[in-house]
Structures are given as C-alpha cells and as structure tokens.
Amino acid sequence: MQIKYSGLGRLMLTLPALCLTLACHKMKDEPAPDNTADITLRQSFESFWDNMNRNYLFWDIDTTDWDLVYENYQPLFAALDKGNPADVRKGYSYFKAMTAGLIDGHYTLMVNHTIPGVEDAADIRPVEERKKLQPGYHPVYDYGNTDLVYLDKGYREALYTTADGDAYVRCGNIGKRVLFLRFSQCNLKAAAAQLSTGVKPVVQYFFDQLHQPAIKGIIIDVRANNGGNTEDLDFIIGSMIDTPLHYGYTRLKSGNGRLDYTPWINAVIRPGSEHAVKIPIMVLADLYSRSVAELMTMAVGALPNGMVIGETTWGATSPLAPNEAYNGGPFQLSAQQFNGSLFYKVYTSSAIFKYKDNRIYEDSGFPPDILVKPDPVAFRNGRDMQLEKAVSWINQ
Amino acid sequence: MRTRTFLVVLLYFISGLPASAQLSMGLETGMTRNHLYTSLNNRSNTAYEAVNGWLIGVPVTYQFNSWLGIQADPLLMQKNYRLRRTGYYDGVYHQNNNYYLKLPVMAQLCLQYHRLQLFLHAGGYVAWWMAGRIKGVQPAILNNADPLPADEEPDNILQMQQAYAYHERYTFDARKDRRIELGGLAGLGAGWQLPSGYHLFVEVRYCSAWNQHQKPYMIRQPAAYNETLMIMTGCRFYIAKRKRNENAD
C-alpha cells in the first residue's frame, strides 16, 4: 500500500510537468502592417522586404537571394538618416540594387517623390533596366501612321482616351484579301461598351469581316501595346474559335510562405463563335508587346492556324490584380506609412503564367515563329517590313 | 529540450515501481480534427480552418499495476487543414490533407472501479509525413466568368472569374516540407472490461506539435504548427499477465 501511494504521489507531482511538455508555441506573429506615421528608412526597407517576401510570385524561379538581401541591406538602411537628402538618395540606390535581378516583367517600385533627395528619381523597373543593356534594344516604333499606307480605303478607326492615356483602334483590309486589326491598348471590350468612344463600329467591322469569303488571312497587330484588360482575350481571340482554347496555366499564392503555391490552373479562352476561323491568323508582336498583348500573342501561337511574326515580346506575361483578390501581387503602404517611406507602391504580378509548352516566358519574352527585326531605315521611309512579311505569307 | 524534459520526468516516476504487469494490445479507430496554428493578420477575408480526418491504430499497453501503465499506439492518421476565403471571396479555398504514420508514447494513469476504468494519458509522439493531397477552388485569373445581366453587380469573385476546382496528389517539396513532426499529447478516456477479457475504451486526445510543419527555408518565416484533437474508440485484449510477489525482494 505504501509503495502504491509513493508511486501515485510521484505521478501526481510529475503529471503536470509532463503536460507542460505540450505546446506553448513560441509563435511569432506575422508582422502586422506598420501603421506608425513618419517611418524611418530602415522601417521603409523592412516593410518592403516583408511584403516582397509574402507577395512576390516568382521566388520559385527568381535567382535573387532574398534572405541575403535582408542580411546585406538591413544594416545599411539602419545607418541612414531620413532627414539627410544624400542618405535618402543612397537608400534609393540600395532599392535599385537589391531589385536589379528580379524577373517580373511588370515589376515597378514606385518612388515617393515627396521625400527630399528623390524628387526626380525614376520609378524602379528592373526588367526595363536590363533590357536597355541587351543587344537589339530599340525605342518604340509607332506604326500608327505607317500602316495607313497599306490599308485599303474605307478602313475604320477610333481614337479615345482611357485611364492609361490616349488609345486607338484601327481595322481595315489590305489588298481586299487580308483583314487587319491594330489596337494600342487591350481594352476594346470595355471601350466598345461606351458608345462615345467610337470603338464599337470598328470592332464590329472586324467581327463582320472574319468569315467573308474574300478574306484569306487575318493580321492582328499588338506591337507597342502595353496590354490592359484580360477581357479582350475572349473578346478578340474568342471571336475566331468555336471550341475552348487552352494556351497556358497560371499559379497563385496559397499562403504566406515564399514557396506556398496553388497547383497550376488551366488558362482557357472561351469560344465566341459558332464557326472557327480556318484561314491563317497572324499576330504582329515586338519588344513592346506587353502583358495582355503578350498573352494574345501566345494565344494566337497556340492556334493550329496561328503564327507569330516580328520579334520576341517584352516578357511581362503574368497577370495582375489587386492584392486582396489573390493574396499576392501588388502592395502599397497605408496613408500613415506613406509619410517617410521611400516607396509607396510596388506593382508586381498576382500570378505566374506559363505557356502550354510548360515554359515560363517571364522576363525572356515570347519568341516569334518568323523573326523579322525592326528596320529603322525602312521605317523612316514609311515601310513596315513586319507587316509586309505577314501579308506576303498570307498571299503566297 | 522538451523531449529531454519529457524523458527525464517519465523516468523519474517509472523508476522503482513494483507491479503486477499486464500487456495488452488491440485496435482503435476514430476521427481527427486538425488546425494549422499560424497568423494571417496581413490578409483580409482569409483564415485557416480546422478540418476533420480519420485515424486507425494499434494500441499496445503495458500495465505496471492497477493504476499505472505505459502505452504506445502506432497510428495511421490524417492531419488536414484548410485556408478559406470569406466575404466577396466566399467559395475560394485550398485544403491540405496530410497522411502521417505516428508513434505516440505515453504514460497511463488509471482509476479502476469494478469494470469501469478511467484513464489519463500524457506523453509525446513522433510522426512521419507519408503522403498528401490538395483540393480546393480558386478563381482562374485569366478565365472570365459568364457575363452578368446588365442590371446586376457581382457580389462574389467567382462571378467575375471562372472557378477552377482541383483535387490531386501533393508532391513533397524537399525545399520546404518537413517529414518528421514531434510533439506532446494529453488524453482522457474511459474503458469497460468485458467478462470475456476484452477491454473497450473511448478516448479524447489532444496533440500539439513542437516543430513547425515546414523547414526553416526563409528569414521571417511565418510560424505554423499542427494542433490535433483526436477522438478514438477501440478494443484491447490481454496477451500476457504477470504477477510479482511483493515480498520476493
């Protein structure tokens, strides 16, 4: 009996100790948004680094060592004085250096120009900076006047203004056999819904001509097109197909960890026609075909009768949406944080896109089927060699 | 550190206890309810939810005497959790179903009254991640949903983007996923001794992971731990009985 009580007594003493081996998790809360006003440059960096850690989509393939960035730059920012414009400029150069290798073609770090020291500092766009150094880099060629030389009389055109600036759409025939559509922004569906823009009759002409017997080929020109609304993928490409077109995949964030992703989700353009267009569909693309314009290029490339002519696109193939929608992508500071922060917003993709060939063309750009480099001499003489190639391909 | 503490304490009260020993084993089954304990205060309309699963195991109990024993019950079990969107994003979720082989080892303190037995368990476990599946619904960012009537405004993201549903095998990612989980546990149960010698029991057990479900692969990694509630029932039978004369020594 004595032994039993001794053993039971030991257990009554030690059982609580055993239970204490259960969790009291040493859990560090996710850093809450810093809502203190007038943050320091170090806090500006910390906020930027944390948000990039959680919201940037490309950590799976980007070679930038983000942990090393923290180790290297945190002490540097801690030594900076926000009241000293020279220090603020130094902080700007640190932001530029730490993001120099990022591969997101949309990536833009928007500078707070109210801070003395960076009033004239350009927003930071790493992909653009790298492309400027690559052979073959050229300024934008605006074929807006050049293609008028090739179009038959009676082409339709609309000039209108959007939140992204002036835009235009042009549709007509070339030599009666080729249907040509050119637009400077991918927002045709939304613009067509507003009668005041004049876009509706232009795109309606395009839709009406698609199945005309005289038309032997279609050219869609998205050169120097910065993209816009993904609605235009169904609106334009969908008008030429009668079955869903699978042209790639997207992947979203599934948690706050750098490598937390959803599975790949099929990207599909919905058919909008009872009869598919069977004649050749050419898309003209160049270095400045970006975002939805690139997706449109890739979608045409996925068509059995599609072909891409021109040069490799920009490499901003992944879509964007507000951060709250997909728990990733663009982020910005609150109004309180704005005061004193070197940046106020980061524009970055909300999902990763990969083409149906399972390759990711972010940063590298989507290559053409037929390479036709821009010819500045011909351009100055009013000739569009890429358009001529597309027309000759259709006519042969 | 916690493992060492646990072992030291366990050895302390086991040492020098004479007993009439009984060895039993059996079969148990039940359900699990697992929650991934982490913080999402940087995300709106987003929360982790507990998800039910199942378990099956083989309890092996060595009873030192009528009130003290030690039990190990190797288990095959699920630890599932779900990340769910709410409000405008209602319907969007991502769920992880994880299958573990688990070996809990615990001290058992019993109170016996005739055929009724009440018991407490306290101990630790080691678990090995075997396999996983993911399922969910996501808005396909590039796939537009059917247009709404002109007089309607969308009140859900799945009215704007097509819903993409998936249910597939999860591929272990050695860069971030952790196979081994260690943790502590405590349980409370009751049993009934049948005349035939079989022993029916039911137990509620709580397990808490000591290590995170992901490896530390990044600075400022969000901490995340599995916390699991288990309700199990089963049957044991004695396979060996030994009575030691208390005066023999």
Side-chain angles (χ1 to χ4, degrees), chain A residues 1 3-4 6-8 10-15 17-33 46 49-50 53-55 59-60 66-68 70-71 189 230-234 247 250 252-270 295 319-321 323-328 350-351 353, chain B residues 2 5-6 9-18 37-46 48 65-68 83 85 88-89 94 107-109 120-123 134 138-147 157 161-162 164 166 168 173 175-176 183-186 206-210 214 217-227 246:
Chain A
M1 181 66 79
I3 293 169
K4 269 191 192 175
S6 171
L8 185 59
R10 285 191 196 196
L11 194 66
M12 296 305 289
L13 283 173
T14 55
L15 199 58
L18 284 173
C19 291
L20 281 174
T21 63
L22 284 177
C24 288
H25 285 144
K26 236 191 285 186
M27 198 179 81
K28 190 178 157 187
D29 258 352
E30 265 295 288
E46 302 259 6
W49 190 93
D50 277 329
N53 216 22
R54 294 191 296 266
N55 295 302
W59 292 127
D60 196 22
W66 203 236
D67 287 344
L68 192 61
Y70 187 89
E71 290 171 13
K189 182 175 181 182
T230 57
E231 282 185 320
D232 274 16
L233 292 167
D234 287 351
Y247 66 107
T250 55
L252 310 170
K253 290 300 298 291
S254 69
N256 273 337
R258 233 181 259 163
L259 301 179
D260 291 340
Y261 294 108
T262 68
W264 290 99
I265 298 167
N266 288 341
V268 179
I269 292 176
R270 302 192 311 165
L295 293 176
L320 281 92
N323 184 282
E324 185 187 271
Y326 299 97
N327 279 340
S350 306
F353 176 82
Chain B
R2 292 188 193 190
T5 306
F6 170 74
V9 169
L10 190 63
L11 285 171
Y12 168 66
F13 74 78
I14 281 179
S15 61
L17 294 174
Y37 183 64
T38 186
S39 173
L40 279 175
N41 65 3
N42 64 311
R43 299 290 183 205
S44 58
N45 297 101
T46 308
Y48 276 104
N65 50 40
S66 62
W67 56 269
L68 180 66
L83 183 69
R85 304 296 309 273
Y88 179 76
Y89 309 98
H94 179 85
Q108 185 182 79
L109 172 63
L120 282 175
H121 280 148
I134 50 173
Q138 297 292 331
I141 189 171
L142 288 179
N143 302 351
N144 297 314
D146 290 332
I157 192 171
Q161 313 300 137
Q162 290 179 24
Y164 181 84
Y166 51 93
E168 58 189 62
D173 187 339
R175 295 172 301 174
K176 66 182 177 85
L185 62 89
Y206 187 77
C207 303
S208 184
W210 293 337
Q214 288 186 338
Y217 68 91
M218 51 186 262
I219 294 176
R220 297 195 178 193
Q221 184 165 335
Y225 298 87
N226 278 315
E227 306 244 319
E246 284 188 343

Side-chain angles (χ1 to χ4, degrees), chain A residues 23 25, chain B residues 33-38 78-81 96 98 100 102 125 127 129 178 181-184 206-214 223-229:
Chain A
H25 285 144
Chain B
R33 187 164 177 83
N34 185 73
H35 180 73
L36 188 68
Y37 183 64
T38 186
Q78 284 186 313
K79 294 194 183 196
N80 307 332
Y81 55 86
N96 287 73
N98 297 305
Y100 284 85
K102 189 172 181 178
Y125 69 86
W129 185 93
R178 195 191 291 266
E181 183 178 282
L182 300 172
Y206 187 77
C207 303
S208 184
W210 293 337
N211 56 353
Q212 298 187 44
H213 82 303
Q214 288 186 338
Y225 298 87
N226 278 315
E227 306 244 319
T228 316
L229 181 69

Side-chain angles (χ1 to χ4, degrees), chain A residues 278-332:
Chain A
K278 304 289 187 189
I279 55 179
I281 302 171
M282 309 285 188
V283 64
L284 298 182
D286 70 356
L287 176 63
Y288 294 95
S289 301
R290 300 190 243 218
S291 194
V292 177
E294 284 182 279
L295 293 176
M296 203 167 283
T297 302
M298 295 161 115
V300 170
L303 289 169
N305 54 333
M307 184 168 289
V308 180
I309 293 179
E311 58 178 346
T312 300
T313 61
W314 182 265
T317 61
S318 297
L320 281 92
N323 184 282
E324 185 187 271
Y326 299 97
N327 279 340
F331 57 90
Q332 63 186 78

